[in-house]
Amino acid sequence: MLSDGARHNFNKRGVVLVPGKNVSTERALELAIEAGAADVQETEDEEEQPVLQFICDMMDLKKVRASLEELGVQITSAGLEFVPRTFLSLDEGQLDAASALIEALNDYPDVVRVWDNIQADS
């Protein structure tokens, strides 16, 4: 459960994850439009492989997933997530401290998932 202060920094949205290895940015945008997704973002999974996140309204999740499947796209996962409204940039020291905190929280048995809005400085 999100604390009251953090709750306002996130929107609950539908997110469909798709492998992004052989998909251009232009094609990803075309797929998002065709499937009815509000946005598509490029990111990486735990193995640092490219992943596309098709973001949509919670009520459209099933429709967007089905549309992507009809377009021949392989779906990795689909579900509801808390998507950050804004990102917070951290320097290397702050990022290390935040990563240690998130890892400790994830190790706690009662924690199911930790969302953050951290963006590493380039």
Side-chain angles (χ1 to χ4, degrees), residues 9 12 29 31 49 59 72 79 81 89 91:
N9 292 326
K12 194 169 186 181
L29 290 171
L31 288 169
Q49 295 298 313
M59 303 306 285
E81 293 191 15
S89 293
D91 63 32

PDB file of all heavy atoms in Angstrom, residues 9 12 29 31 49 59 72 79 81 89 91:
ATOM      1  N   ASN A   9       2.373  10.804  -6.319  1.00  0.00           N
ATOM      2  CA  ASN A   9       3.459  10.846  -7.297  1.00  0.00           C
ATOM      3  C   ASN A   9       3.318   9.789  -8.389  1.00  0.00           C
ATOM      4  O   ASN A   9       4.162   9.709  -9.281  1.00  0.00           O
ATOM      5  CB  ASN A   9       4.808  10.662  -6.601  1.00  0.00           C
ATOM      6  CG  ASN A   9       5.165  11.830  -5.724  1.00  0.00           C
ATOM      7  OD1 ASN A   9       4.830  12.967  -6.032  1.00  0.00           O
ATOM      8  ND2 ASN A   9       5.825  11.556  -4.621  1.00  0.00           N
ATOM      9  N   LYS A  12      -2.022   4.923 -11.345  1.00  0.00           N
ATOM     10  CA  LYS A  12      -2.234   3.495 -11.561  1.00  0.00           C
ATOM     11  C   LYS A  12      -2.669   3.315 -13.011  1.00  0.00           C
ATOM     12  O   LYS A  12      -3.681   3.865 -13.434  1.00  0.00           O
ATOM     13  CB  LYS A  12      -3.282   2.950 -10.600  1.00  0.00           C
ATOM     14  CG  LYS A  12      -3.290   1.442 -10.538  1.00  0.00           C
ATOM     15  CD  LYS A  12      -4.136   0.951  -9.384  1.00  0.00           C
ATOM     16  CE  LYS A  12      -4.031  -0.545  -9.244  1.00  0.00           C
ATOM     17  NZ  LYS A  12      -4.861  -1.031  -8.148  1.00  0.00           N
ATOM     18  N   LEU A  29       5.824   3.083 -31.802  1.00  0.00           N
ATOM     19  CA  LEU A  29       4.783   4.113 -31.776  1.00  0.00           C
ATOM     20  C   LEU A  29       3.587   3.718 -32.640  1.00  0.00           C
ATOM     21  O   LEU A  29       2.439   3.924 -32.264  1.00  0.00           O
ATOM     22  CB  LEU A  29       5.353   5.458 -32.234  1.00  0.00           C
ATOM     23  CG  LEU A  29       6.327   6.123 -31.273  1.00  0.00           C
ATOM     24  CD1 LEU A  29       6.994   7.322 -31.924  1.00  0.00           C
ATOM     25  CD2 LEU A  29       5.623   6.531 -29.987  1.00  0.00           C
ATOM     26  N   LEU A  31       2.638   0.644 -33.309  1.00  0.00           N
ATOM     27  CA  LEU A  31       1.941  -0.418 -32.577  1.00  0.00           C
ATOM     28  C   LEU A  31       1.085   0.161 -31.448  1.00  0.00           C
ATOM     29  O   LEU A  31      -0.043  -0.276 -31.227  1.00  0.00           O
ATOM     30  CB  LEU A  31       2.945  -1.424 -32.005  1.00  0.00           C
ATOM     31  CG  LEU A  31       3.626  -2.345 -33.000  1.00  0.00           C
ATOM     32  CD1 LEU A  31       4.774  -3.093 -32.338  1.00  0.00           C
ATOM     33  CD2 LEU A  31       2.623  -3.335 -33.588  1.00  0.00           C
ATOM     34  N   GLN A  49      17.995  -6.406 -21.072  1.00  0.00           N
ATOM     35  CA  GLN A  49      17.487  -6.577 -22.425  1.00  0.00           C
ATOM     36  C   GLN A  49      16.446  -5.494 -22.696  1.00  0.00           C
ATOM     37  O   GLN A  49      15.686  -5.112 -21.803  1.00  0.00           O
ATOM     38  CB  GLN A  49      16.848  -7.963 -22.590  1.00  0.00           C
ATOM     39  CG  GLN A  49      17.825  -9.105 -22.448  1.00  0.00           C
ATOM     40  CD  GLN A  49      18.898  -9.061 -23.510  1.00  0.00           C
ATOM     41  OE1 GLN A  49      18.634  -8.877 -24.690  1.00  0.00           O
ATOM     42  NE2 GLN A  49      20.150  -9.224 -23.078  1.00  0.00           N
ATOM     43  N   MET A  59      -8.721   0.519 -17.532  1.00  0.00           N
ATOM     44  CA  MET A  59      -9.890  -0.125 -18.140  1.00  0.00           C
ATOM     45  C   MET A  59      -9.590  -0.649 -19.549  1.00  0.00           C
ATOM     46  O   MET A  59     -10.323  -1.489 -20.061  1.00  0.00           O
ATOM     47  CB  MET A  59     -11.065   0.854 -18.195  1.00  0.00           C
ATOM     48  CG  MET A  59     -11.445   1.424 -16.824  1.00  0.00           C
ATOM     49  SD  MET A  59     -11.760   0.166 -15.572  1.00  0.00           S
ATOM     50  CE  MET A  59     -13.351  -0.404 -16.083  1.00  0.00           C
ATOM     51  N   GLY A  72       0.462  -9.618 -33.760  1.00  0.00           N
ATOM     52  CA  GLY A  72       1.584 -10.552 -33.809  1.00  0.00           C
ATOM     53  C   GLY A  72       2.707 -10.233 -32.849  1.00  0.00           C
ATOM     54  O   GLY A  72       3.822 -10.723 -33.008  1.00  0.00           O
ATOM     55  N   GLY A  79      -0.289  -6.078 -16.776  1.00  0.00           N
ATOM     56  CA  GLY A  79      -0.915  -5.908 -15.474  1.00  0.00           C
ATOM     57  C   GLY A  79      -1.004  -4.442 -15.098  1.00  0.00           C
ATOM     58  O   GLY A  79      -0.631  -3.561 -15.870  1.00  0.00           O
ATOM     59  N   GLU A  81       0.136  -1.277 -12.879  1.00  0.00           N
ATOM     60  CA  GLU A  81       1.341  -0.792 -12.214  1.00  0.00           C
ATOM     61  C   GLU A  81       1.155   0.664 -11.826  1.00  0.00           C
ATOM     62  O   GLU A  81       0.290   1.347 -12.362  1.00  0.00           O
ATOM     63  CB  GLU A  81       2.563  -0.902 -13.143  1.00  0.00           C
ATOM     64  CG  GLU A  81       2.955  -2.321 -13.458  1.00  0.00           C
ATOM     65  CD  GLU A  81       4.309  -2.411 -14.136  1.00  0.00           C
ATOM     66  OE1 GLU A  81       5.074  -1.426 -14.106  1.00  0.00           O
ATOM     67  OE2 GLU A  81       4.605  -3.471 -14.681  1.00  0.00           O
ATOM     68  N   SER A  89      15.888  12.801 -10.288  1.00  0.00           N
ATOM     69  CA  SER A  89      17.270  12.504 -10.671  1.00  0.00           C
ATOM     70  C   SER A  89      18.140  12.397  -9.425  1.00  0.00           C
ATOM     71  O   SER A  89      18.050  13.225  -8.523  1.00  0.00           O
ATOM     72  CB  SER A  89      17.819  13.610 -11.573  1.00  0.00           C
ATOM     73  OG  SER A  89      17.158  13.606 -12.798  1.00  0.00           O
ATOM     74  N   ASP A  91      22.240  11.546  -7.994  1.00  0.00           N
ATOM     75  CA  ASP A  91      23.641  11.356  -8.365  1.00  0.00           C
ATOM     76  C   ASP A  91      24.052   9.942  -7.949  1.00  0.00           C
ATOM     77  O   ASP A  91      23.269   9.195  -7.368  1.00  0.00           O
ATOM     78  CB  ASP A  91      24.539  12.430  -7.754  1.00  0.00           C
ATOM     79  CG  ASP A  91      24.556  12.414  -6.230  1.00  0.00           C
ATOM     80  OD1 ASP A  91      24.419  11.331  -5.620  1.00  0.00           O
ATOM     81  OD2 ASP A  91      24.719  13.496  -5.634  1.00  0.00           O
TER      82      ASP A  91
END
